[in-house]
Amino acid sequence: REIGEAQVVEAADRLVANTSGEAGELIDLYGADHRKVRVVSPGVDLEVFTPGDMVEARAQVGLPLDAQVLLFVGRIQPLKAPDVLLRAAAELLARRPELRQRLVVVVLGGPSGSGLGKPRALHELAQRLGIDTQVRFASPVDRVTLAQWYRAADLVAVPSYSESFGLVAIEAQACGTPVVAAAVGGLPFAVGDTGLLIPGHETSDWGAGLERLLDAPDPRMLLR
């Protein structure tokens, strides 16, 4: 793969990177001519992904109005690390058992890539952690419905081990929902100062980050 990527870099007339960091990697790691590299960051359709009414959104997607909702959106595979969210939620509930009646962890997506070999692995993890009652699995949806899921959530978690950009993060933020993300790849660029970045994937760090935002009267004010 690395040989192929180097050949593409050498042969291309123009190289488009998602972020300035990715552009730097093309130049530093692959020897790309800086004159050929341009940064064009992904965007979202702001006619679809907009802030909206949480009560209406929860009614549409079938979530309790008084719940505290943590949402993961993406392909279910190890690289996307939805297990990090489940483990952090389990630790949070161990410290704060009073949240068991209200906390809902939604995993929205389907198995993909290396996740296809064990499509039930995340369900089984939720059972082992003792949070299968709090975890809901939802199949992929169209963009309009996806926007409603974002609006229905208190927080959107993006715990990936690697992301070239992090489209889920900006979709969620466009809907007015705070984001907790791993400080990897393009996520620091996508999240900026409007979300909480977690260095690494330690369960304790993620649990503390989730708790901090859930306890805030208005998480968006806390992040400013």
Side-chain angles (χ1 to χ4, degrees):
R1 174 177 171 176
E2 291 181 3
I3 293 175
E5 290 175 346
Q7 291 173 336
V8 169
V9 168
E10 183 178 0
D13 293 310
R14 186 73 68 200
L15 296 163
V16 180
N18 287 329
T19 67
S20 56
E22 190 175 52
E25 290 176 352
L26 286 170
I27 295 168
D28 297 337
L29 300 180
Y30 289 94
D33 185 340
H34 71 276
R35 293 170 297 182
K36 294 183 178 181
V37 180
R38 294 291 183 272
V39 176
V40 181
S41 299
V44 298
D45 186 344
L46 295 179
E47 293 186 359
V48 174
F49 297 98
T50 61
D53 184 79
M54 178 183 284
V55 173
E56 178 183 334
R58 289 190 175 186
Q60 180 173 332
V61 300
L63 289 173
L65 297 183
D66 63 345
Q68 289 189 293
V69 180
L70 310 179
L71 175 64
F72 169 90
V73 174
R75 300 187 302 277
I76 299 178
Q77 58 177 244
L79 181 67
K80 297 294 184 179
D83 63 294
V84 171
L85 175 59
L86 266 60
R87 296 180 197 279
E91 179 176 278
L92 175 60
L93 290 174
R95 293 200 312 269
R96 301 276 298 277
E98 72 275 9
L99 292 177
R100 279 194 173 272
Q101 301 303 315
R102 297 183 59 201
L103 191 69
V104 177
V105 182
V106 178
V107 178
L108 175 57
S112 175
S114 56
L116 290 171
K118 296 181 178 180
R120 297 283 303 174
L122 213 57
H123 297 72
E124 294 166 1
L125 176 62
Q127 291 178 337
R128 291 199 303 273
L129 293 171
I131 60 171
D132 48 307
T133 302
Q134 285 75 34
V135 178
R136 298 190 183 188
F137 292 92
S139 299
V141 295
D142 60 80
R143 294 193 310 152
V144 172
T145 306
L146 176 58
Q148 287 291 63
W149 275 106
Y150 286 133
R151 297 179 191 117
D154 290 286
L155 302 172
V156 171
V158 189
S160 306
Y161 285 102
S162 176
E163 285 286 354
S164 60
F165 184 70
L167 194 60
V168 166
I170 60 172
E171 287 175 346
Q173 291 173 115
C175 292
T177 305
V179 171
V180 182
V184 300
L187 282 169
F189 181 89
V191 173
D193 58 2
T194 61
L196 180 63
L197 292 168
I198 307 290
H201 297 83
E202 290 294 329
T203 299
S204 57
D205 294 337
W206 275 83
L210 296 176
E211 185 174 24
R212 176 189 173 196
L213 293 187
L214 286 176
D215 283 347
D218 185 347
R220 288 164 292 190
M221 294 298 294
L222 186 64
L223 294 170
R224 289 178 182 174

